[in-house]
Amino acid sequence: MQKSAKQSSKLLKLIILALLGSIALVLFFLNFPLPFLPPYLKIDFSDVPALMASLIFSPLAGVAVVLIKNVLYFAVSGSGDPVGVLANFLAGVMFVLPVSLIYHKFHKGVKSIVSGLVTGTIVMAVGMSVLNYYVILPAYAWFMGWDMSEQMAWGAVLVGVFSFNLLKGIIVGMLFVPVFIKMRSWIEQKQTNLAA
């Protein structure tokens, strides 16, 4: 009996993660550029479902939702740009993991969410800047047949990537805090139900 309850709990978790991954995909398509940044850098709120999953279940559940979103996007869009999909996955992981780790390690409240969002934003902005400079931009340049000088790469990283990820973290964080406050009791109820 206990085994069947455990299996149905696992199945429920998989269904919720798949559902959150699908919602993340829809939110990923509802994106918008910022006027002073390159048009290919667009803000979206697809990390919000991943944050929800990471709070209800675990940090790895948040990573799973980011992965599901990117796999679905790659399949649906028929994107010939695997580098961009990989970059989006890595940015999502860098943002979601610190939030959920801080939330689960310390008091599960608004303070830990805000601390996590600040940490996640810094980790994502710095981490994606380093990855772009050393890996992603050279991969893009090779993939698209561009000739990119070191000066161009530095400019793209500092003006584009770092500023974009910093702003994205702030904008998503400003949306997520009120969402968390409104849904806090529901999140805690789900945690209790799934732990039982």
Side-chain angles (χ1 to χ4, degrees):
M1 188 76 175
Q2 202 175 1
K3 193 180 179 187
S4 123
K6 224 175 187 181
Q7 281 177 328
S8 79
S9 170
K10 253 186 181 172
L11 180 65
L12 179 65
K13 182 179 177 179
L14 284 172
I15 291 166
I16 293 170
L17 291 180
L19 187 65
L20 287 170
S22 304
I23 293 167
L25 177 68
V26 172
L27 291 172
F28 192 45
F29 281 112
L30 303 173
N31 56 50
F32 57 93
L34 291 172
F36 43 87
L37 286 173
Y40 61 86
L41 294 172
K42 293 177 180 171
I43 300 282
D44 65 79
F45 296 104
S46 64
D47 288 331
V48 170
L51 286 168
M52 294 298 281
S54 72
L55 300 188
I56 296 167
F57 300 109
S58 68
L60 279 180
V63 172
V65 170
V66 176
L67 180 65
I68 291 165
K69 172 195 76 175
N70 280 287
V71 168
L72 288 174
Y73 174 75
F74 194 70
V76 169
S77 68
S79 171
D81 172 22
V83 180
V85 173
L86 180 65
N88 185 275
F89 171 72
L90 293 170
V93 169
M94 285 181 195
F95 184 60
V96 170
L97 270 183
V99 179
S100 53
L101 288 169
I102 290 171
Y103 174 80
H104 285 287
K105 195 160 176 65
F106 302 103
H107 175 68
K108 296 179 176 181
V110 179
K111 253 187 192 172
S112 61
I113 290 292
V114 172
S115 304
L117 286 164
V118 169
T119 308
T121 299
I122 293 165
V123 168
M124 178 173 66
V126 173
M128 287 310 291
S129 297
V130 171
L131 270 175
N132 266 277
Y133 185 75
Y134 288 106
V135 181
I136 297 166
L137 283 175
Y140 252 128
W142 177 83
F143 196 68
M144 304 295 230
W146 296 338
D147 191 25
M148 190 176 281
S149 69
E150 201 170 321
Q151 206 171 359
M152 278 168 69
W154 268 115
V157 166
L158 293 175
V159 177
V161 177
F162 182 78
S163 309
F164 167 76
N165 283 298
L166 204 58
L167 285 166
K168 181 181 177 180
I170 292 166
I171 292 167
V172 172
M174 282 169 69
L175 170 89
F176 189 71
V177 171
V179 167
F180 173 76
I181 291 167
K182 212 161 183 64
M183 297 186 75
R184 183 177 177 178
S185 56
W186 179 83
I187 290 167
E188 286 166 0
Q189 183 194 345
K190 285 281 164 264
Q191 288 168 345
T192 310
N193 292 351
L194 290 158

